[in-house]
Amino acid sequence: MSTQHGNSDTKPPSGSGSRLYDLLCAEQPYWNRPSDADSTPWNFRELWKSSGAKERLEKLLKESGNGVCADCGTPDPKWVSLTLGVFICIKCSGVHRSLGVHISKVLSVKLDEWTDEQVDVLVNLGGNNVANNKYEALIPENLKKPTPDSSNEERADFIRRKYEIMQFFDGNKHDPHSHQRTSSSSSQGSLSNLFSQDKRQYEKQLTRHRIGQKFRSSWGRRDSDNHKSVRKSNSLAGMVEFIGMIKVNVVKGTNLAVRDMVTSDPYVMLTLGQQSVKTRVIKNNLNPVWNESLMLSIPDSIPPLKVIVYDKDTFSHDDFMGEAEIDIQPLVAAAKAHERSEIQESMQLGKWVASKDNTLEKDGIITVTDGKVKQDISLRLQKVERGVLEIELECVPLTQ
């Protein structure tokens, strides 16, 4: 996909902004400077609704065992597997995402908006100590857990054996979802919906547990072969190095294509490398407003962010409603430069210029707002008769 960045008629910023641009242009030589320091307005959600839940979450972080990553021991974890009930570091969170949301749904402690129901899930699951007592009950003496300095391949190997294959889980002593089923039977309203698929998920975990038992039963004879088998099961996403996270807020669609007689039931699928996430389905709407934030790990190779819109069908395959690609390398370069600059003032960093050669409906402005590097993007959907998708991107470095 062809892209253009900046404008040849622009004037360089002065003062601290100029110092930031020296760093930015060193990181991304083809970058051109914007014409002014005006920032594109951003539509932020009201955070007060989740403030109570965030306070409870912070208290959970201070409980015994939750102050370090459940998988590698890195202090002060800022990520959570809501499915497994563990606090994890950003490096391990990338591996968890590669497992799929059916095994581990990852949220950020600080970047995501939390509800009381989600915090209730964590409370019921018990935290890092309870989870590790279950999933690490049968770790052999000759196997060491990853450390904060372990490679991503070592993390991926251990995390997949721990949660996907359940090789170390003692099913005779522990029920991995007993807390969830107890909460589901006693809770009311929206919380009960969080556990509506609990039985099916538990059966899947039991299946993985049986696989783990087969691995353990042959340790004495074929431990090295088993280790190789687990390594082969690691996906490419689990073994790549991640350089940060990208927060994608899918804002809305406009004039989307009709796929069900006179309307559609659209949802958006995002893919970055081997990772995929999707929004909720909005029924009977050609101008849907999702305003839904999703997180993806950024691989070191920085592939394009692929966006596909589908129409949800109950009795057949989902219908295609258009696609687009986003080059996120300029946004990542801007975030790296800003992180080194220590500049917090709001300013415009540059823009991805709309043209006939790309899918932009209008210029994609990159700004620093409240110390965060963000980009507004309006996309013309491709390979479809019509449709525009509005997205907000935020690049999150590994330090957060």
Side-chain angles (χ1 to χ4, degrees):
M1 178 177 64
S2 176
T3 61
Q4 298 181 36
H5 304 284
N7 192 315
S8 59
D9 298 328
T10 61
K11 297 178 181 180
S14 60
S16 59
S18 179
R19 294 195 301 274
L20 173 57
Y21 266 84
D22 291 339
L23 289 169
L24 180 59
C25 293
E27 181 73 34
Q28 201 84 340
Y30 58 80
W31 193 277
N32 289 323
R33 302 168 187 258
S35 58
D36 54 53
D38 294 334
S39 297
T40 300
W42 295 88
N43 295 321
F44 294 101
R45 295 182 179 182
E46 293 183 272
L47 298 179
W48 64 268
K49 294 181 180 179
S50 63
S51 60
K54 282 287 182 72
E55 290 177 1
R56 295 177 60 203
L57 191 62
E58 292 291 343
K59 290 181 180 179
L60 280 179
L61 267 171
K62 296 177 182 179
E63 291 187 1
S64 176
N66 294 342
V68 297
C69 174
D71 298 325
C72 74
T74 296
D76 195 24
K78 290 293 189 293
W79 301 84
V80 176
S81 170
L82 186 61
T83 317
L84 301 168
V86 292
F87 291 88
I88 53 180
C89 68
I90 192 169
K91 290 184 178 180
C92 289
S93 74
V95 181
H96 275 256
R97 279 190 173 81
S98 72
L99 300 178
V101 294
H102 61 292
I103 296 177
S104 183
K105 179 176 177 58
V106 179
L107 297 175
S108 167
V109 172
K110 295 189 176 296
L111 300 175
D112 282 304
E113 295 179 22
W114 284 79
T115 65
D116 283 323
E117 287 83 0
Q118 290 172 323
V119 178
D120 287 340
V121 172
L122 290 182
V123 172
N124 290 326
L125 287 172
N128 287 5
N129 287 343
V130 172
N132 283 345
N133 285 338
K134 300 171 186 177
Y135 293 100
E136 297 180 1
L138 298 177
I139 290 183
E141 294 182 359
N142 62 344
L143 178 65
K144 294 183 178 180
K145 285 185 63 173
T147 66
D149 297 326
S150 293
S151 67
N152 207 61
E153 183 176 347
E154 292 172 324
R155 294 173 196 271
D157 179 55
F158 178 80
I159 290 171
R160 289 185 180 278
R161 295 170 79 175
K162 179 178 177 179
Y163 300 113
E164 185 175 43
I165 300 176
M166 296 181 71
Q167 188 172 343
F168 317 128
F169 175 71
D170 188 351
N172 295 324
K173 295 181 180 180
H174 302 289
D175 180 343
H177 289 284
S178 61
H179 293 278
Q180 287 176 294
R181 285 197 296 276
T182 300
S183 174
S184 179
S185 63
S186 60
S187 299
Q188 298 178 355
S190 59
L191 178 58
S192 62
N193 295 330
L194 293 173
F195 304 105
S196 61
Q197 297 180 344
D198 180 70
K199 182 178 179 181
R200 183 169 57 184
Q201 185 174 1
Y202 176 56
E203 289 173 350
K204 289 181 180 179
Q205 290 224 344
L206 285 180
T207 300
R208 297 200 307 274
H209 168 54
R210 295 189 187 102
I211 296 174
Q213 284 183 314
K214 291 180 180 180
F215 271 85
R216 287 195 297 271
S217 65
S218 59
W219 272 344
R221 185 177 69 256
R222 299 172 60 191
D223 182 72
S224 61
D225 292 339
N226 290 335
H227 185 73
K228 292 178 181 178
S229 298
V230 175
R231 285 293 178 88
K232 288 180 180 179
S233 72
N234 289 344
S235 70
L236 292 176
M239 292 191 288
V240 299
E241 291 292 337
F242 297 110
I243 61 174
M245 311 292 297
I246 188 164
K247 184 177 183 180
V248 184
N249 183 29
V250 182
V251 181
K252 65 179 181 179
T254 303
N255 196 28
L256 300 184
V258 174
R259 290 294 180 266
D260 297 330
M261 298 297 290
V262 296
T263 187
S264 296
D265 302 328
Y267 68 92
V268 179
M269 176 78 73
L270 304 174
T271 300
L272 188 64
Q274 300 296 316
Q275 310 159 82
S276 293
V277 292
K278 61 183 179 182
T279 67
R280 68 189 185 279
V281 176
I282 297 182
K283 292 185 174 297
N284 303 320
N285 202 324
L286 299 180
N287 298 284
V289 177
W290 287 281
N291 207 25
E292 184 172 346
S293 294
L294 302 167
M295 299 288 293
L296 291 161
S297 301
I298 303 175
D300 185 49
S301 57
I302 315 183
L305 175 64
K306 297 182 179 180
V307 181
I308 305 179
V309 182
Y310 288 104
D311 167 59
K312 182 65 176 179
D313 280 336
T314 304
F315 302 107
S316 63
H317 293 297
D318 295 347
D319 297 320
F320 177 79
M321 294 180 63
E323 66 179 14
E325 285 192 357
I326 302 173
D327 179 10
I328 65 170
Q329 292 196 43
L331 180 67
V332 174
K336 288 181 178 179
H338 177 259
E339 187 178 17
R340 292 196 300 270
S341 72
E342 298 182 355
I343 297 172
Q344 297 300 316
E345 65 187 66
S346 296
M347 61 180 296
Q348 180 178 316
L349 296 182
K351 58 186 175 182
W352 182 17
V353 179
S355 72
K356 296 180 180 179
D357 297 325
N358 58 44
T359 61
L360 290 182
E361 180 74 7
K362 58 184 179 181
D363 293 348
I365 307 297
I366 298 179
T367 63
V368 177
T369 306
D370 296 329
K372 300 176 181 179
V373 179
K374 299 184 176 185
Q375 184 176 22
D376 270 336
I377 291 182
S378 183
L379 296 166
R380 295 190 306 269
L381 295 174
Q382 305 297 298
K383 300 180 182 178
V384 69
E385 57 269 28
R386 68 189 197 196
V388 173
L389 198 65
E390 293 188 19
I391 289 177
E392 297 170 354
L393 303 179
E394 177 185 342
C395 189
V396 183
L398 282 173
T399 53
Q400 293 191 24

PDB file of all heavy atoms in Angstrom, residues 377-390:
ATOM      1  N   ILE A 377      -7.875   8.060  12.200  1.00  0.00           N
ATOM      2  CA  ILE A 377      -7.855   7.543  10.834  1.00  0.00           C
ATOM      3  C   ILE A 377      -9.285   7.293  10.367  1.00  0.00           C
ATOM      4  O   ILE A 377     -10.090   6.699  11.078  1.00  0.00           O
ATOM      5  CB  ILE A 377      -7.039   6.239  10.742  1.00  0.00           C
ATOM      6  CG1 ILE A 377      -5.551   6.540  10.961  1.00  0.00           C
ATOM      7  CG2 ILE A 377      -7.242   5.560   9.398  1.00  0.00           C
ATOM      8  CD1 ILE A 377      -4.667   5.346  10.845  1.00  0.00           C
ATOM      9  N   SER A 378      -9.586   7.757   9.137  1.00  0.00           N
ATOM     10  CA  SER A 378     -10.868   7.507   8.493  1.00  0.00           C
ATOM     11  C   SER A 378     -10.596   6.730   7.216  1.00  0.00           C
ATOM     12  O   SER A 378      -9.928   7.223   6.305  1.00  0.00           O
ATOM     13  CB  SER A 378     -11.577   8.833   8.183  1.00  0.00           C
ATOM     14  OG  SER A 378     -12.845   8.618   7.633  1.00  0.00           O
ATOM     15  N   LEU A 379     -11.096   5.492   7.135  1.00  0.00           N
ATOM     16  CA  LEU A 379     -10.741   4.566   6.066  1.00  0.00           C
ATOM     17  C   LEU A 379     -11.893   4.341   5.092  1.00  0.00           C
ATOM     18  O   LEU A 379     -13.031   4.102   5.503  1.00  0.00           O
ATOM     19  CB  LEU A 379     -10.351   3.196   6.659  1.00  0.00           C
ATOM     20  CG  LEU A 379      -9.117   3.140   7.551  1.00  0.00           C
ATOM     21  CD1 LEU A 379      -9.092   1.812   8.294  1.00  0.00           C
ATOM     22  CD2 LEU A 379      -7.844   3.309   6.720  1.00  0.00           C
ATOM     23  N   ARG A 380     -11.587   4.386   3.793  1.00  0.00           N
ATOM     24  CA  ARG A 380     -12.524   3.934   2.770  1.00  0.00           C
ATOM     25  C   ARG A 380     -12.365   2.427   2.626  1.00  0.00           C
ATOM     26  O   ARG A 380     -11.274   1.934   2.311  1.00  0.00           O
ATOM     27  CB  ARG A 380     -12.242   4.607   1.423  1.00  0.00           C
ATOM     28  CG  ARG A 380     -12.455   6.096   1.392  1.00  0.00           C
ATOM     29  CD  ARG A 380     -12.390   6.599  -0.056  1.00  0.00           C
ATOM     30  NE  ARG A 380     -11.143   6.183  -0.697  1.00  0.00           N
ATOM     31  CZ  ARG A 380     -10.027   6.902  -0.698  1.00  0.00           C
ATOM     32  NH1 ARG A 380      -9.997   8.057  -0.050  1.00  0.00           N
ATOM     33  NH2 ARG A 380      -8.960   6.467  -1.318  1.00  0.00           N
ATOM     34  N   LEU A 381     -13.412   1.693   2.875  1.00  0.00           N
ATOM     35  CA  LEU A 381     -13.334   0.240   2.778  1.00  0.00           C
ATOM     36  C   LEU A 381     -13.156  -0.186   1.325  1.00  0.00           C
ATOM     37  O   LEU A 381     -13.790   0.370   0.416  1.00  0.00           O
ATOM     38  CB  LEU A 381     -14.584  -0.398   3.382  1.00  0.00           C
ATOM     39  CG  LEU A 381     -14.762  -0.168   4.890  1.00  0.00           C
ATOM     40  CD1 LEU A 381     -16.095  -0.721   5.371  1.00  0.00           C
ATOM     41  CD2 LEU A 381     -13.612  -0.798   5.676  1.00  0.00           C
ATOM     42  N   GLN A 382     -12.306  -1.178   1.109  1.00  0.00           N
ATOM     43  CA  GLN A 382     -11.956  -1.648  -0.220  1.00  0.00           C
ATOM     44  C   GLN A 382     -12.686  -2.958  -0.558  1.00  0.00           C
ATOM     45  O   GLN A 382     -13.161  -3.661   0.310  1.00  0.00           O
ATOM     46  CB  GLN A 382     -10.444  -1.856  -0.309  1.00  0.00           C
ATOM     47  CG  GLN A 382      -9.630  -0.621   0.057  1.00  0.00           C
ATOM     48  CD  GLN A 382      -9.867   0.529  -0.889  1.00  0.00           C
ATOM     49  OE1 GLN A 382      -9.586   0.440  -2.084  1.00  0.00           O
ATOM     50  NE2 GLN A 382     -10.398   1.632  -0.366  1.00  0.00           N
ATOM     51  N   LYS A 383     -12.742  -3.256  -1.872  1.00  0.00           N
ATOM     52  CA  LYS A 383     -13.364  -4.478  -2.400  1.00  0.00           C
ATOM     53  C   LYS A 383     -14.829  -4.587  -1.998  1.00  0.00           C
ATOM     54  O   LYS A 383     -15.349  -5.678  -1.738  1.00  0.00           O
ATOM     55  CB  LYS A 383     -12.591  -5.719  -1.934  1.00  0.00           C
ATOM     56  CG  LYS A 383     -11.135  -5.735  -2.378  1.00  0.00           C
ATOM     57  CD  LYS A 383     -10.411  -6.980  -1.884  1.00  0.00           C
ATOM     58  CE  LYS A 383      -8.951  -6.954  -2.298  1.00  0.00           C
ATOM     59  NZ  LYS A 383      -8.211  -8.152  -1.785  1.00  0.00           N
ATOM     60  N   VAL A 384     -15.492  -3.451  -1.901  1.00  0.00           N
ATOM     61  CA  VAL A 384     -16.905  -3.387  -1.530  1.00  0.00           C
ATOM     62  C   VAL A 384     -17.482  -2.128  -2.164  1.00  0.00           C
ATOM     63  O   VAL A 384     -16.749  -1.189  -2.505  1.00  0.00           O
ATOM     64  CB  VAL A 384     -17.073  -3.371   0.010  1.00  0.00           C
ATOM     65  CG1 VAL A 384     -16.565  -2.065   0.600  1.00  0.00           C
ATOM     66  CG2 VAL A 384     -18.498  -3.659   0.435  1.00  0.00           C
ATOM     67  N   GLU A 385     -18.794  -2.104  -2.325  1.00  0.00           N
ATOM     68  CA  GLU A 385     -19.408  -0.989  -3.036  1.00  0.00           C
ATOM     69  C   GLU A 385     -19.370   0.329  -2.282  1.00  0.00           C
ATOM     70  O   GLU A 385     -19.398   1.409  -2.897  1.00  0.00           O
ATOM     71  CB  GLU A 385     -20.860  -1.327  -3.401  1.00  0.00           C
ATOM     72  CG  GLU A 385     -21.760  -1.689  -2.231  1.00  0.00           C
ATOM     73  CD  GLU A 385     -21.770  -3.176  -1.936  1.00  0.00           C
ATOM     74  OE1 GLU A 385     -20.750  -3.855  -2.225  1.00  0.00           O
ATOM     75  OE2 GLU A 385     -22.783  -3.654  -1.401  1.00  0.00           O
ATOM     76  N   ARG A 386     -19.300   0.289  -0.934  1.00  0.00           N
ATOM     77  CA  ARG A 386     -19.307   1.546  -0.186  1.00  0.00           C
ATOM     78  C   ARG A 386     -18.925   1.274   1.260  1.00  0.00           C
ATOM     79  O   ARG A 386     -18.808   0.133   1.691  1.00  0.00           O
ATOM     80  CB  ARG A 386     -20.688   2.197  -0.236  1.00  0.00           C
ATOM     81  CG  ARG A 386     -21.750   1.408   0.540  1.00  0.00           C
ATOM     82  CD  ARG A 386     -23.132   1.938   0.309  1.00  0.00           C
ATOM     83  NE  ARG A 386     -24.061   1.454   1.337  1.00  0.00           N
ATOM     84  CZ  ARG A 386     -25.383   1.502   1.216  1.00  0.00           C
ATOM     85  NH1 ARG A 386     -25.924   2.011   0.123  1.00  0.00           N
ATOM     86  NH2 ARG A 386     -26.152   1.071   2.193  1.00  0.00           N
ATOM     87  N   GLY A 387     -18.723   2.358   2.024  1.00  0.00           N
ATOM     88  CA  GLY A 387     -18.464   2.220   3.456  1.00  0.00           C
ATOM     89  C   GLY A 387     -17.208   2.931   3.922  1.00  0.00           C
ATOM     90  O   GLY A 387     -16.162   2.881   3.262  1.00  0.00           O
ATOM     91  N   VAL A 388     -17.322   3.629   5.067  1.00  0.00           N
ATOM     92  CA  VAL A 388     -16.188   4.312   5.696  1.00  0.00           C
ATOM     93  C   VAL A 388     -16.120   3.871   7.155  1.00  0.00           C
ATOM     94  O   VAL A 388     -17.152   3.722   7.818  1.00  0.00           O
ATOM     95  CB  VAL A 388     -16.347   5.849   5.615  1.00  0.00           C
ATOM     96  CG1 VAL A 388     -15.256   6.547   6.417  1.00  0.00           C
ATOM     97  CG2 VAL A 388     -16.320   6.308   4.158  1.00  0.00           C
ATOM     98  N   LEU A 389     -14.896   3.674   7.648  1.00  0.00           N
ATOM     99  CA  LEU A 389     -14.678   3.242   9.027  1.00  0.00           C
ATOM    100  C   LEU A 389     -13.764   4.243   9.718  1.00  0.00           C
ATOM    101  O   LEU A 389     -12.711   4.603   9.181  1.00  0.00           O
ATOM    102  CB  LEU A 389     -14.037   1.852   9.050  1.00  0.00           C
ATOM    103  CG  LEU A 389     -14.104   1.058  10.358  1.00  0.00           C
ATOM    104  CD1 LEU A 389     -15.540   0.718  10.716  1.00  0.00           C
ATOM    105  CD2 LEU A 389     -13.278  -0.210  10.243  1.00  0.00           C
ATOM    106  N   GLU A 390     -14.164   4.705  10.904  1.00  0.00           N
ATOM    107  CA  GLU A 390     -13.351   5.647  11.675  1.00  0.00           C
ATOM    108  C   GLU A 390     -12.707   4.928  12.858  1.00  0.00           C
ATOM    109  O   GLU A 390     -13.385   4.238  13.621  1.00  0.00           O
ATOM    110  CB  GLU A 390     -14.204   6.819  12.163  1.00  0.00           C
ATOM    111  CG  GLU A 390     -14.700   7.696  11.031  1.00  0.00           C
ATOM    112  CD  GLU A 390     -15.379   8.950  11.521  1.00  0.00           C
ATOM    113  OE1 GLU A 390     -15.157   9.329  12.694  1.00  0.00           O
ATOM    114  OE2 GLU A 390     -16.141   9.550  10.730  1.00  0.00           O
TER     115      GLU A 390
END
